[in-house]
Amino acid sequence: MKQKVIAILGSTGSIGTQALEVIRQNAEQFRVCILTAQSNSKLLIQQALEFKPAYVVIGDETKCSEVENALKSFNIKVLCGMDELCDVVTDPNIDIVLTALVGFAGLKPTIAAIKAGKDIALANKETLVVAGEMITQLAENHKVKILPVDSEHSAIFQCLVGEENNPIEKIYLTASGGPFLGKGGDFLASVTKTEALKHPNWIMGAKITIDSASLMNKGLEVIEAKWLFNLEISQIDVIVHPQSIVHSIVQFQDGSMKAQLGLPDMKLPIQYALGYPNRIKNEYPRFNFLNYPNLTFEQADKKTFRNLALAFEALESGGNTPCVINAANEVVVAEFLNNRIGFLQMSDVIEDCMNKITFLQNPSLEDYLETDRETRIYAQELVTNR
Ligand code: NAD
Ligand code: MG
């Protein structure tokens, strides 16, 4: 396999650091060209000294000189802010851009990378939630691959290898159910951020961990799946599987189902996306059936975990509505983490935003930016005035 040159956007986060672990163990296959972070300058500097990328980008401009000083005697160019990030992802040496940054901030650099013909290893699901139609169209026009990193979507992608001419009847996205599986509204009304941050199976960044507890993560993944696999809403189902071993399932037109299984470890889907179409040998722990005598499945509770129902509604409505729920969700999750809003109130704010923000059927990029901005202001007002 020819060595692939990788840009990691969000290298200091949960996905970013695990991607670097994969690259560290496969130095002949992969080389790092860009590392980026929003504010964790210390870790970014440490990563740069180890991996010697051509560029690092720090989002927080107040930290720029600190990073420059630390790296000035090395041949590493230090850049700052979103505009420079969008420029540098177009570097002709790059083969794959791993979008491991969190939230709406992923949209612009992903667009820049696609326009420059870079394949995308997509962890940043928010980009497809906000602008799935635009992004998938752009990828098609520029003949770039979008390789899913999200474990469920990687599972479906892997099940589809060799099935190019066989239409999908249905997909089942599996959900762990998060730390509050089986709980009712009374319990959820008073849960704390510490409880919500304790995911039973995965260690992830704070935002996606709260999204997993509220089932918004699964809602965002339903929208992500629609665009990645070109599905109708009726073809997407969610099934709760608390052990997180079956990562998702595809059902074909003959009723046959294919699933992808493995221990919950994000290094596997990251490695598959970076190495695609090759599988790379590793020594990670193997799944043992005897440790999991029961793999169980149950219906998701959309009545109690309203975010999942709201995400389906947003997908049904289309246009800029998924952008609205994404922006509102980013605001309420940040405020939940600041102890300024209760767990169940997050859904109230999201629903209010869906009803309030002007609907646009065919949004342009500018419309998405404006919808995101407007929704954040409105959601913030709702949180503050509550
Ligand atoms: P994280 O919070 O651990 O890391 C986020 C990274 O993005 C950090 O490097 C941070 O510096 C950078 N960043 C944050 N805000 C930014 C901004 N405004 N501009 C530029 N960079 C910014 O998050 P994570 O858990 O690694 O998740 C990253 C993405 O991957 C998310 O979209 C998440 O939904 C998706 N994802 C994560 C996991 C997981 O296991 N962590 C699994 C599936 C999908
Ligand atoms: Mg997932």
Side-chain angles (χ1 to χ4, degrees):
M1 183 167 112
K2 172 184 161 282
Q3 191 183 47
K4 293 184 186 174
V5 179
I6 316 285
I8 305 184
L9 313 190
S11 63
T12 57
S14 161
I15 293 290
T17 52
Q18 293 181 85
L20 286 174
E21 218 174 305
V22 167
I23 292 174
R24 193 181 281 122
Q25 284 165 13
N26 296 283
E28 338 67 66
Q29 272 112 324
F30 305 118
R31 181 162 63 80
V32 174
C33 177
I34 302 178
L35 295 173
T36 87
Q38 178 58 19
S39 56
N40 190 346
S41 47
K42 299 265 173 310
L43 182 56
L44 182 65
I45 291 165
Q46 191 187 318
Q47 293 177 337
L49 293 174
E50 178 183 351
F51 289 92
K52 303 282 169 13
Y55 306 95
V56 302
V57 187
I58 179 91
D60 177 348
E61 308 209 1
T62 65
K63 305 224 165 144
C64 202
S65 52
E66 177 197 344
V67 180
E68 270 168 0
N69 286 337
L71 300 178
K72 67 177 171 232
S73 46
F74 301 88
N75 193 17
I76 300 172
K77 196 161 170 31
V78 177
L79 305 168
C80 299
M82 185 50 87
D83 291 345
E84 298 204 324
L85 173 61
C86 289
D87 278 347
V88 77
V89 293
T90 65
D91 183 283
N93 292 309
I94 298 168
D95 297 309
I96 302 180
V97 174
L98 170 61
T99 62
L101 67 181
V102 62
F104 185 84
L107 181 63
K108 280 189 182 172
T110 305
I111 291 177
I114 294 174
K115 285 186 172 167
K118 310 302 178 191
D119 285 338
I120 306 293
L122 185 128
N124 180 260
K125 66 192 85 185
E126 293 91 343
T127 288
L128 280 187
V129 170
V130 168
E133 188 162 12
M134 177 184 289
I135 293 289
T136 46
Q137 189 60 57
L138 205 58
E140 202 179 311
N141 295 347
H142 291 270
K143 300 196 169 43
V144 315
K145 292 192 255 312
I146 299 186
L147 303 157
V149 169
D150 215 347
S151 57
E152 297 77 1
H153 306 74
S154 175
I156 291 164
F157 188 77
Q158 293 181 54
C159 291
L160 292 175
V161 171
E163 303 281 4
E164 289 70 21
N165 298 320
N166 292 321
I168 297 172
E169 187 169 85
K170 195 164 192 141
I171 65 163
Y172 291 90
L173 289 176
T174 51
S176 71
F180 305 137
L181 175 60
K183 302 293 187 198
D186 288 349
F187 180 90
L188 294 177
S190 61
V191 294
T192 64
K193 82 171 184 192
T194 314
E195 293 168 296
L197 283 170
K198 278 196 198 113
H199 196 280
N201 304 338
W202 299 96
I203 298 167
M204 311 179 283
K207 192 247 175 193
I208 183 175
T209 306
I210 301 301
D211 285 348
S212 299
S214 72
L215 290 203
M216 181 53 95
N217 182 51
K218 210 47 56 181
L220 301 180
E221 290 185 355
V222 166
I223 303 174
E224 180 186 14
K226 186 220 155 45
W227 295 115
L228 278 173
F229 306 112
N230 190 21
L231 300 170
E232 300 298 325
I233 301 172
S234 59
Q235 291 176 289
I236 309 173
D237 214 337
V238 169
I239 189 89
V240 173
H241 166 49
Q243 297 81 21
S244 297
I245 295 297
V246 176
H247 295 307
S248 279
I249 302 152
V250 180
Q251 179 176 309
F252 294 94
Q253 286 183 325
D254 58 355
S256 181
M257 297 164 105
K258 277 168 90 173
Q260 187 263 339
L261 286 73
L263 290 172
D265 179 352
M266 286 307 295
K267 291 197 295 304
L268 297 175
I270 292 169
Q271 180 182 294
Y272 188 76
L274 297 183
Y276 178 82
N278 301 315
R279 291 187 183 274
I280 301 169
K281 188 174 164 56
N282 64 37
E283 303 301 331
Y284 304 150
R286 276 18 182 181
F287 171 74
N288 180 342
F289 281 96
L290 303 183
N291 294 337
Y292 291 86
N294 295 307
L295 295 180
T296 60
F297 301 89
E298 59 190 271
Q299 205 55 252
D301 178 359
K302 286 191 209 159
K303 283 214 173 71
T304 307
F305 294 89
R306 278 167 50 222
N307 281 352
L308 182 55
L310 293 174
F312 270 102
E313 258 177 55
L315 187 53
E316 193 84 55
S317 146
N320 63 340
T321 315
C323 177
V324 170
I325 63 157
N326 180 69
N329 184 55
E330 287 191 32
V331 170
V332 293
V333 169
E335 292 296 34
F336 178 72
L337 290 169
N338 286 330
N339 301 313
R340 283 203 280 256
I341 184 173
F343 189 80
L344 290 177
Q345 292 166 337
M346 292 196 287
S347 307
D348 299 338
V349 171
I350 295 167
E351 193 169 15
D352 280 1
C353 289
M354 287 170 74
N355 293 332
K356 167 80 177 181
I357 302 297
T358 310
F359 178 71
L360 302 170
Q361 181 70 59
N362 292 306
S364 64
L365 177 58
E366 279 62 41
D367 292 330
Y368 284 127
L369 297 171
E370 184 52 26
T371 296
D372 179 74
R373 202 184 65 84
E374 256 182 58
T375 307
R376 280 170 199 271
I377 293 170
Y378 185 62
Q380 200 65 60
E381 271 171 31
L382 289 174
V383 174
T384 311
N385 299 333
R386 164 171 297 276

